[in-house]
Amino acid sequence: MAEVAQAQTLHEAEPRRAKDYRSAVDPIWCPGCGDFGVLSAVSEVFAERNIDPDNVVIVSGIGCSGRFPAFLRCYGFHGVHGRALPTATGVALANPKLRVMVVGGDGDGLSIGAGHFPHAARRNVDLTYLLPDNEIYGLTKGQISPTTTDLSLAKKALSSPHGSWEQPVNPVGLALSYGASFVARAYSAQRKELSKVIDEALAHRGFSFVQVVSPCTTFYNSYKTITPKVRFIDDEHNIHDRNGALQLAYDRRHVWLGVFYRDPDRPTLQDQFQHIREVSAGGRQRALNDIFRQYT
Amino acid sequence: MSDFIVKVGGEGGTDSPTTAGEFITLSAIREGNSVFTLRTLPAEIKGGLATYQVRVSSEHVSSQGDGPDVLMCMNQESYDELIDELDLEGGVLVYDTDSVQLAPQNGADHRLYYGVPMTSIASDEVKERRTKNMVLLGVFSALFGLGLDTLKRCVEDKYGRRGPELVQLNHAALDAGARFVAEKLKKADPFWFQPNPERSGVERMVVDGSDAVAMGAAAAGLQVYAGYPITPASDIMHWLAKFLPQFGGTVIQTEDEIAALGCCLGASFAGAKTMSATSGPGLSLMTEMLGLGVMCELPVVVVDAQRGGPATGLPTKCENGDLNIAVLGTHGDAPRIVVAPANIRDCFYDTVGAFNLAEKYQSPVILLSDQSMAMRTQAMEPPDVDTIQRHDEHGSPSTNNGTLAAAMMDKRYRKVQAARFESGWSRTHGPETAKIGAIGWGSLEGALAEAVDRINANGGTARMLHLRMLAPLPVEEIEAFAATVDKVVVCELNFSGQLNHMIRAETDVRSSLIRKYDGVPFTPRELAAALQEELNHG
Ligand SMILES: Cc1ncc(C[n+]2csc(CCOP(=O)(O)OP(=O)(O)O)c2C)c(N)n1
Ligand code: SF4
Ligand SMILES: [Mg+2]
């Protein structure tokens, strides 16, 4: 008890500020890149909730957006391209007390790593998955991605000089059909809404998915086409109605922002799994001896 | 001393030859024998030909031996498929006269034939068709001297829980089989069991390679297992899914092998002991993750139960062709530790060893087992966890702070190279010096040791070095071994001689190669002939 009380006074004495969550490394993103907004929003929400950075692990994909962990003061794991979700699932299995966040781009999560998204969603791993979606491969300098909708915006699109016939996928639509228990969309240019959505995602118990529309000023500057289409989801939408949420997700005329769907009652991976614990050598020997008998 | 091989074949679903084989194995163990078994399951999901081969010896055996001495056929298909494996001189066939039509015998056939109406004894005398395998066991007991009482006690232990009627029924079938032999057959073969009371109760566990690996992992303190199903590695996951919670651990079946190793690395990063088991195709998918594990210096054990490759290849056959990918697979320079157990006991202890190496060197460790070890059983003493040395310190993950890449690379190589001076990762066999020195790795050790013994018994001189750590390569040890022999041959179950290449590249030794790559393990006879050939002409 004494320890808890002391910890609380410490927190009261020094509430953490957003900049306390930022590391010494300065982002190397291009001026105007949407990812700046995402980074600021995350550190603000962490500060508002006074989250203990020692309990946070950010696992990221590879891409401009995947650089995230380097700029934040908490545990970070910058792994390989497309595999952030399974890596984060391992972290969650090893220590269910950790707050796990995954950050990876549209190429990372919906192209090379697309096979992992449905499984993390249906397992309801208790983590927050931020997908900064710039509809392009930023880090590799401007090839089309699975979410590219308007090739005329692509500055280079070296990989598709003759255009593309491929239909873009809809990240929110996918998350809804994969059974994610929390699905939202935000926009890096709408900072207040972005922080609010990230805050709600962090509060959700279960797999919370946030597509953050986050334009790439260098290779796919979509601010001008997106901003006029933005609409905010209001109370009229029933947040527990997956079909209604799908209709909003596939609305061609508007880009709806806010929480599309939430199911707070589904058991999470962390609830379901036997939590790992230390067993003494004696305990292991006893368990083994019982099992050995079945082999004689 | 007695030492012979029995093979039972029949229809998987109705004849249950595997159950018969398991009872022979268990009873033989209880009478103090050593066993080495191989089973084949039908390709069909239900029914089809199943076989169970067991070598029983009053002394320790370490290989499956050459071919069956006694073949027991419960249906026509087993006779048609298996009869050619039986030696024309002195092989013994026991067959069900109700269901097997023998082919016309030719003059070269000097086998011994014992016909028994197994189906009608079961159906008419015992009044239960399904006891046919017990009738066979009764026949076996009376013909070859395996104790009927021992068999009966095994039946009680295994079926007792299901009620006295079942036990009585099976006992009646055993008696009926034995009675038939006493009344109708005259023994004319030399095969006869010798109980070895001194050894009885010593090697009292019968385990296959998959379960032994899983038990070793549990004993070592595995906490998070992540895997994707693949033959012949899935049994490891099945065992762990059932038992690991008792050891404080948890098992997740992931969507693919990339996710499996990703999950392990994430869990290792968060401080858990982790493992994944796969076969060649899965290891191929894991290679990028493997490099990540090396770079981040994360302890993790990856088991590769090797099968025939490349691609889907020969999924139910045996090959030791994954040494290259285990040692070198992934882009960039990524030193890691590779070990290879050579028998079932090793599968347990080397898995524990692999966890210890992973912790000590903060590195991925690959453990190469293979299909033949996954599908065979051997007897072993129940391991004692207290005597297993463990390293409990948790590795702190490396920070991503841009330290000079060259310095990090130097460190990783230096660190892992030190593992080659770890003791106990090799075994030698044979005289101190010899004309020919064989180097082996993987599951062929037992067959190679028997081949070496045969060479020495026939006036040649041979010795062997069996390596269980392959990366880093124990260069000094290999060179020292080479100095004790006139000629070195490397024996491998793959086409290109992957270890042979590594030895020629990294040591001064100019070795030659004995290889096999048809999906079937070496027999002692084949290895002895190849070594003799090297002795004669090399
Ligand atoms: C296996 C593999 N293939 C390709 C790459 C090269 N690569 C790095 S990032 C990237 C795509 C980045 O796009 P996205 O995920 O949308 O992130 P962004 O840079 O747009 O934030 C690619 C193809 C890689 N690192 N690894
Ligand atoms: S290339 Fe695009 S996504 Fe990458 S930092 Fe620059 S603006 Fe951002
Ligand atoms: Mg992108």
Side-chain angles (χ1 to χ4, degrees):
Chain A
M1 279 311 276
E3 272 170 44
V4 174
Q6 198 192 5
Q8 272 167 359
T9 36
L10 266 183
H11 283 176
E12 279 158 25
E14 307 175 52
R16 298 182 182 90
R17 289 157 302 173
K19 71 175 174 53
D20 295 335
Y21 291 91
R22 296 286 287 273
S23 75
V25 185
D26 274 332
I28 47 160
W29 292 316
C30 314
C33 173
D35 293 353
F36 281 107
V38 190
L39 181 64
S40 304
V42 167
S43 34
E44 272 167 34
V45 175
F46 278 6
E48 254 161 54
R49 295 188 157 261
N50 198 19
I51 284 170
D52 179 359
D54 290 350
N55 269 333
V56 180
V57 181
I58 302 202
V59 182
S60 73
I62 300 290
C64 293
S65 44
R67 298 214 153 122
F68 232 76
F71 312 136
L72 281 169
R73 241 198 73 221
C74 53
Y75 287 100
F77 192 101
H78 191 188
V80 292
H81 191 30
R83 315 300 170 194
L85 282 173
T87 311
T89 304
V91 173
L93 279 174
N95 187 347
K97 293 197 199 82
L98 294 174
R99 185 183 285 277
V100 186
M101 184 180 260
V102 172
V103 183
D106 40 304
D108 191 86
L110 302 173
S111 191
I112 188 167
H116 305 303
F117 188 12
H119 304 286
R122 66 189 188 85
R123 285 180 192 128
N124 205 26
V125 190
D126 186 7
L127 58 75
T128 298
Y129 180 19
L130 300 184
L131 188 142
D133 182 6
N134 52 14
E135 301 186 25
I136 203 85
Y137 285 9
L139 191 71
T140 47
K141 300 192 171 19
Q143 300 84 2
I144 59 163
S145 95
T147 56
T148 310
T149 43
D150 185 354
L151 217 61
S152 68
L153 285 176
K155 287 244 177 66
K156 288 189 182 153
L158 292 173
S159 60
S160 330
H162 309 297
S164 167
W165 74 102
E166 296 172 352
Q167 275 283 323
V169 301
N170 182 320
V172 166
L174 287 179
L176 287 166
S177 14
Y178 292 157
S181 59
F182 178 103
V183 182
R185 184 189 286 140
Y187 180 22
S188 63
Q190 292 286 347
R191 283 289 310 288
K192 239 181 85 191
E193 178 73 6
L194 174 61
S195 295
K196 192 169 145 258
V197 164
I198 292 178
D199 187 56
E200 286 185 51
L202 284 177
H204 176 73
R205 276 187 76 260
F207 184 80
S208 48
F209 171 73
V210 184
Q211 175 199 5
V212 188
V213 177
S214 175
C216 165
T217 39
T218 302
F219 297 112
Y220 192 90
N221 196 337
S222 54
Y223 285 114
K224 284 211 185 83
T225 52
I226 289 169
T227 304
K229 290 182 162 181
V230 162
R231 298 289 181 278
F232 295 96
I233 299 176
D234 56 24
D235 290 347
E236 261 175 55
H237 170 61
N238 174 1
I239 210 164
H240 305 297
D241 171 15
R242 201 192 298 259
N243 288 338
L246 278 165
Q247 270 176 1
L248 287 182
Y250 285 97
D251 180 350
R252 281 169 177 271
R253 287 170 304 137
H254 303 115
V255 175
W256 290 93
L257 304 181
V259 180
F260 284 68
Y261 180 76
R262 179 184 3 232
D263 176 0
D265 300 323
R266 260 179 57 203
T268 67
L269 169 121
Q270 286 93 327
D271 295 337
Q272 285 312 96
F273 267 79
Q274 179 100 22
H275 292 162
I276 66 165
R277 62 202 150 87
E278 283 288 333
V279 173
S280 66
R284 279 198 297 271
Q285 180 70 67
R286 275 192 297 283
L288 276 175
N289 286 346
D290 281 348
I291 294 166
F292 289 161
R293 224 162 290 134
Q294 300 174 26
Y295 287 83
T296 57
Chain B
M1 175 190 162
S2 66
D3 181 1
F4 64 98
I5 300 169
V6 186
K7 188 163 192 166
V8 188
E11 212 270 339
T14 52
D15 295 333
S16 303
T18 307
T19 311
E22 283 167 357
F23 274 110
I24 294 177
T25 305
L26 196 56
S27 307
I29 292 284
R30 291 192 180 182
E31 296 196 342
N33 284 283
S34 177
V35 295
F36 193 114
T37 79
L38 286 178
R39 67 200 140 107
T40 64
L41 298 175
E44 296 83 350
I45 301 295
K46 228 171 167 255
L49 175 64
T51 75
Y52 190 102
Q53 177 178 309
V54 49
R55 178 180 181 189
V56 184
S57 168
S58 52
E59 301 300 329
H60 178 79
V61 283
S62 56
S63 88
Q64 79 271 27
D66 294 323
D69 299 297
V70 175
L71 179 64
M72 305 187 81
C73 293
M74 302 175 77
N75 69 352
Q76 188 67 40
E77 190 186 6
S78 59
Y79 169 77
D80 294 340
E81 292 291 321
L82 304 174
I83 187 66
D84 287 343
E85 293 180 22
L86 196 61
D87 204 356
L88 286 169
E89 302 291 333
V92 177
L93 178 77
V94 181
Y95 65 103
D96 178 14
T97 48
D98 296 322
S99 40
V100 177
Q101 189 75 47
L102 296 183
Q105 271 166 264
N106 62 31
D109 186 345
H110 301 295
R111 300 178 183 115
L112 208 67
Y113 289 82
Y114 296 120
V116 181
M118 299 178 201
T119 308
S120 38
I121 293 178
S123 304
D124 305 341
E125 236 180 281
V126 191
K127 308 248 180 294
E128 175 53 80
R129 162 77 177 69
R130 280 179 303 174
T131 61
K132 183 168 150 187
N133 57 1
M134 289 291 153
V135 172
L136 174 140
L137 285 171
V139 170
F140 184 82
S141 156
L143 267 178
F144 304 109
L146 182 63
L148 196 62
D149 290 340
T150 314
L151 272 168
K152 283 185 175 172
R153 233 166 295 124
C154 290
V155 167
E156 280 161 28
D157 290 347
K158 292 286 159 183
Y159 294 153
R161 267 183 305 125
R162 285 152 64 185
E165 292 83 33
L166 187 67
V167 173
Q168 275 159 20
L169 189 71
N170 282 299
H171 281 184
L174 286 171
D175 286 333
R179 199 159 49 235
F180 180 88
V181 174
E183 289 169 4
K184 303 275 168 56
L185 296 182
K186 197 166 147 29
K187 185 170 169 71
D189 66 83
F191 301 114
W192 192 254
F193 270 100
Q194 265 162 23
N196 189 345
E198 262 171 48
R199 292 175 40 91
S200 126
V202 180
E203 292 182 349
R204 61 179 185 278
M205 264 170 76
V206 188
V207 190
D208 67 29
S210 305
D211 288 4
V213 166
M215 289 173 185
L222 169 64
Q223 290 169 311
V224 174
Y225 176 91
Y228 186 77
I230 186 167
T231 305
S234 302
D235 288 340
I236 294 173
M237 176 159 72
H238 301 162
W239 192 99
L240 291 168
K242 188 167 167 197
F243 292 116
L244 198 61
Q246 295 176 31
F247 298 84
T250 194
V251 170
I252 185 167
Q253 179 183 326
T254 53
E255 58 272 24
D256 58 34
E257 289 86 348
I258 300 171
L261 190 50
C263 219
C264 290
L265 294 184
S268 179
F269 178 72
K273 286 203 175 187
T274 69
M275 179 172 101
S276 185
T278 185
S279 189
L283 190 62
S284 293
L285 288 184
M286 284 179 178
T287 50
E288 188 189 17
M289 276 288 173
L290 207 55
L292 177 67
V294 170
M295 189 186 76
C296 296
E297 305 190 42
L298 289 171
V300 58
V301 174
V302 177
V303 178
D304 173 10
Q306 299 166 91
R307 60 193 218 182
T312 299
L314 300 168
T316 58
K317 295 275 182 166
C318 189
E319 189 175 283
N320 291 350
D322 294 355
L323 185 61
N324 283 342
I325 188 177
V327 174
L328 303 168
T330 205
H331 58 284
D333 280 319
R336 78 293 301 261
I337 297 173
V338 179
V339 299
N343 58 45
I344 301 303
R345 210 175 162 274
D346 286 349
C347 284
F348 181 90
Y349 287 100
D350 288 356
T351 301
V352 177
F355 275 91
N356 288 342
L357 290 168
E359 289 291 322
K360 180 170 174 185
Y361 293 93
Q362 295 289 293
S363 165
V365 175
I366 298 176
L367 183 133
L368 290 173
S369 81
D370 68 15
Q371 185 270 350
S372 83
M373 279 192 286
M375 297 295 286
R376 76 159 82 137
T377 63
Q378 279 180 273
M380 66 185 276
E381 288 170 47
D384 177 5
V385 176
D386 282 343
T387 63
I388 300 167
Q389 208 198 334
R390 291 188 341 115
H391 295 263
D392 259 335
E393 76 268 23
H394 289 295
S396 54
S398 71
T399 52
N400 200 354
N401 63 2
T403 317
L404 280 174
M408 298 295 283
M409 184 68 85
D410 287 347
K411 176 197 167 200
R412 289 193 292 265
Y413 263 94
R414 223 175 26 242
K415 177 184 81 170
V416 163
Q417 274 304 319
R420 74 176 199 265
F421 301 108
E422 290 280 340
S423 64
W425 286 97
S426 67
R427 284 188 281 259
T428 54
H429 180 72
E432 295 289 302
T433 58
K435 284 215 170 58
I436 194 157
I439 298 180
W441 71 278
S443 60
L444 56 70
E445 184 190 25
L448 187 55
E450 281 193 50
V452 163
D453 289 344
R454 287 183 201 181
I455 299 283
N456 290 322
N458 291 335
T461 60
R463 66 185 307 237
M464 67 180 277
L465 168 68
H466 201 76
L467 300 179
R468 279 162 38 249
M469 183 181 288
L470 299 151
L473 197 68
V475 170
E476 293 78 1
E477 191 173 5
I478 292 167
E479 289 176 347
F481 173 80
T484 66
V485 296
D486 297 343
K487 178 170 194 205
V488 176
V489 283
V490 179
C491 305
E492 293 187 69
L493 271 178
N494 61 58
F495 176 85
S496 64
Q498 298 180 5
L499 176 62
N500 190 37
H501 276 296
M502 288 176 194
I503 288 175
R504 291 179 70 110
E506 292 188 42
T507 73
D508 294 338
V509 179
R510 303 287 86 194
S511 46
S512 55
L513 175 66
I514 292 175
R515 61 184 180 169
K516 191 177 185 206
Y517 46 93
D518 61 356
V520 185
F522 275 115
T523 62
R525 187 188 290 151
E526 287 166 339
L527 279 167
L531 287 175
Q532 192 60 52
E533 178 82 12
E534 291 281 342
L535 268 177
N536 296 347
H537 306 290

